[in-house]
Amino acid sequence: MTAAQTEPRPLSAAAPTKPHPARRAWTVTVLLVAFMMVNFADKSVLGLAADEIRADLGLTATEFGLANSAFFLLFSISGALVGLLLADRVTARWLLLAMAVLWSLAQIPPAIGGGLAVLIGSRLVLGAAEGPAFPVAQQTALSWFPNHRRNLPGALVTLGVTLGVITAAPGLTWIIQEHGWRAALWAVAATGAVWAVLWVFFGEDGPFRTDDTSAAVDTTRTPDTPGTTDVSGSAPGIASGSVPGYRRVLATRTWAGVTLAYFTSYWIVGLMVAWLPSYLRNGLGYAPDTAGTLVVSPWAVGAVVLLGQAVLTGRLMRSGVSSRTARGRIGGAMLLIGAVCLFCVPLADGVTAKTVLLALGLGFGGSYATIAATTVAELAPPRRRGGALGTMNAVVTTAGLIAPVVVGRLIDTQGDAGYETAVLLSGALLSLGALASLTLVDPARDVARLRRHA
């Protein structure tokens, strides 16, 4: 080498550094929170207008459940395809912008008119456009932070789901009651268009998106040491140049366990989106405006659980506790609490007690998403992260395809008693998910195995 090559080069206009300040990271995170708020406002509008739509279009509960399930038919497929084919190749700026534009366009046909066929077609397109939303939003947010700092931004993006329902439910319920359910579709379409404009100006990928060196192993510590991190603050990972294939990543017990646990949690999300407003009105006897307010209670509980989990998990991991405990066991405990509360709903005396238990059960049970996303982000090397998250999301969201039709069928065959049967079924599923999280999730173990076979 020449002396010129060994001397440090001064910063200049020809070789600028690209700063990634915390302010920029949090600006993008806030926009992604808003993105998920719009996402779930789009999803929840049909559930909020369930009785009005059924009366207007003359639908049975099973038919209405089918319209909700149609949303998830392409949701899972598009989530997997985008995760495997595009999420690691196309910048998130353009992926997220395309999704938001399609969401708004998909709302227009049923807002103009039409019956069940138009409603189903709209939901199919909306589901295809929203399928990759959560994993891509999570990947984008996490790309701005090292592993040990990801719990809070990951939780905030997931919290956008809750905030979307909390902020949208009362307003959309008022629009539905005063101006009709089709007007509510116009409202969510306009909101998505506004977000798309903001994202054009402020959206950007973070510095940890494709930087494989962030996953380099710290050789001063063993890979199985709880809480092991490298000098960059990332979890022990797979060195650049020796990246395992998707088959090995998806075959780990951690990926399987976290996916099963998240599936049962997403069943709760599907139940809340499609049938919770109707359950409050028809199963528990609340007036429409009261139900429109109470529908936010499980989401509010979920928001508290998400933030509490993020703070607790972050503190545990920074203190050296393994992610097996900080993520797998904390997540399993959350699902178990949700299951116990749901099992108690039919045993409770009085509507108030049932409502409180329902809010707690659904809130705890539906709050596993951040655990799932951060665990897979820790497990998968950067060049496999988008596909691993997308595939998990595709498997998990099939719960949203199944739950609305199953619950609709229960209501058609059992009447209002079908709601409580659905609650007990959900409790049983959460118990299974808790068991999977508690016994299978151990990222450090599986990262070490992936590294040995890379």
Side-chain angles (χ1 to χ4, degrees):
M1 287 188 178
T2 66
Q5 289 175 310
T6 59
E7 291 177 358
R9 297 195 308 180
L11 297 177
S12 66
T17 60
K18 185 177 181 181
H20 294 279
R23 182 170 61 183
R24 185 66 170 178
W26 287 110
T27 297
V28 172
T29 301
V30 168
L31 278 173
L32 293 171
V33 172
F35 177 79
M36 294 308 301
M37 291 173 66
V38 176
N39 178 286
F40 262 73
D42 287 346
K43 284 185 180 73
S44 64
V45 65
L46 255 65
L48 293 169
D51 290 351
E52 287 77 11
I53 293 173
R54 288 178 59 190
D56 186 20
L57 303 183
L59 306 179
T60 65
T62 302
E63 288 172 334
F64 179 75
L66 178 63
N68 277 277
S69 292
F71 173 89
F72 292 98
L73 183 61
L74 297 180
F75 186 95
S76 302
I77 296 172
S78 68
L81 290 177
V82 170
L84 292 169
L85 302 179
L86 297 178
D88 296 320
R89 296 176 175 85
V90 179
T91 63
R93 181 182 186 186
W94 299 114
L95 282 177
L96 294 170
L97 177 63
M99 290 180 215
V101 171
L102 286 173
W103 298 353
S104 294
L105 293 176
Q107 305 289 355
I108 295 175
I112 293 174
L116 178 60
V118 173
L119 190 63
I120 289 176
S122 169
R123 301 301 281 185
L124 283 169
V125 174
L126 183 64
E130 290 197 359
F134 180 72
V136 174
Q138 280 282 3
Q139 181 187 16
T140 306
L142 300 184
S143 74
W144 284 92
F145 302 90
N147 182 60
H148 69 295
R149 297 292 183 189
R150 286 173 174 168
N151 292 294
L152 181 57
L156 290 174
V157 172
T158 307
L159 186 61
V161 172
T162 301
L163 293 176
V165 177
I166 290 175
T167 58
L172 289 176
T173 298
W174 179 84
I175 292 173
I176 292 164
Q177 295 298 315
E178 297 296 326
H179 303 285
W181 63 274
R182 298 186 197 272
L185 297 178
W186 284 112
V188 294
T191 304
V194 170
W195 185 90
V197 172
L198 293 174
W199 184 251
V200 168
F201 289 100
F202 300 107
E204 186 180 359
D205 288 301
F208 296 100
R209 182 177 190 266
T210 57
D211 184 6
D212 282 7
T213 61
S214 69
V217 179
D218 178 1
T219 57
T220 65
R221 303 178 69 175
T222 61
D224 294 317
T225 300
T228 301
T229 59
D230 62 27
V231 292
S232 69
S234 296
I238 311 302
S240 178
S242 57
V243 180
Y246 281 118
R247 182 179 63 83
R248 290 194 180 278
V249 175
L250 304 187
T252 60
R253 288 200 291 168
T254 292
W255 190 90
V258 82
T259 299
L260 177 56
Y262 189 17
F263 175 93
T264 67
S265 183
Y266 206 89
W267 175 282
I268 300 299
V269 174
L271 178 66
M272 288 194 289
V273 168
W275 287 111
L276 179 58
S278 182
Y279 180 26
L280 292 172
R281 292 169 66 169
N282 302 317
L284 298 180
Y286 288 105
D289 56 343
T290 305
T293 301
L294 288 176
V295 75
V296 308
S297 56
W299 302 96
V301 170
V304 174
V305 173
L306 277 172
L307 291 176
Q309 170 268 314
V311 171
L312 177 59
T313 298
R315 287 181 178 176
L316 289 173
M317 294 191 70
R318 286 192 295 273
S319 67
V321 175
S322 70
S323 56
R324 177 185 183 185
T325 295
R327 287 174 175 155
R329 290 175 178 170
I330 295 297
M334 288 160 46
L335 297 183
L336 188 59
I337 291 170
V340 171
C341 290
L342 292 182
F343 283 138
C344 290
V345 170
L347 304 177
D349 291 327
V351 172
T352 300
K354 289 179 181 291
T355 304
V356 170
L357 286 169
L358 187 67
L360 292 172
L362 297 178
F364 273 90
S367 299
Y368 195 83
T370 300
I371 292 286
T374 53
T375 300
V376 172
E378 177 183 354
L379 171 71
R383 282 186 281 171
R384 297 289 181 260
R385 193 167 293 150
L389 285 167
T391 305
M392 176 186 69
N393 206 57
V395 173
V396 162
T397 53
T398 57
L401 177 67
I402 301 168
V405 173
V406 169
V407 176
R409 183 62 177 168
L410 289 173
I411 295 168
D412 277 338
T413 57
Q414 300 180 17
D416 291 344
Y419 291 111
E420 287 200 346
T421 302
V423 168
L424 292 174
L425 174 61
S426 299
L429 288 172
L430 286 179
S431 299
L432 178 62
L435 180 63
S437 187
L438 291 168
T439 59
L440 298 179
V441 175
D442 188 350
R445 173 201 64 207
D446 289 328
V447 165
R449 290 176 179 175
L450 288 172
R451 192 166 56 245
R452 285 196 298 269
H453 293 91

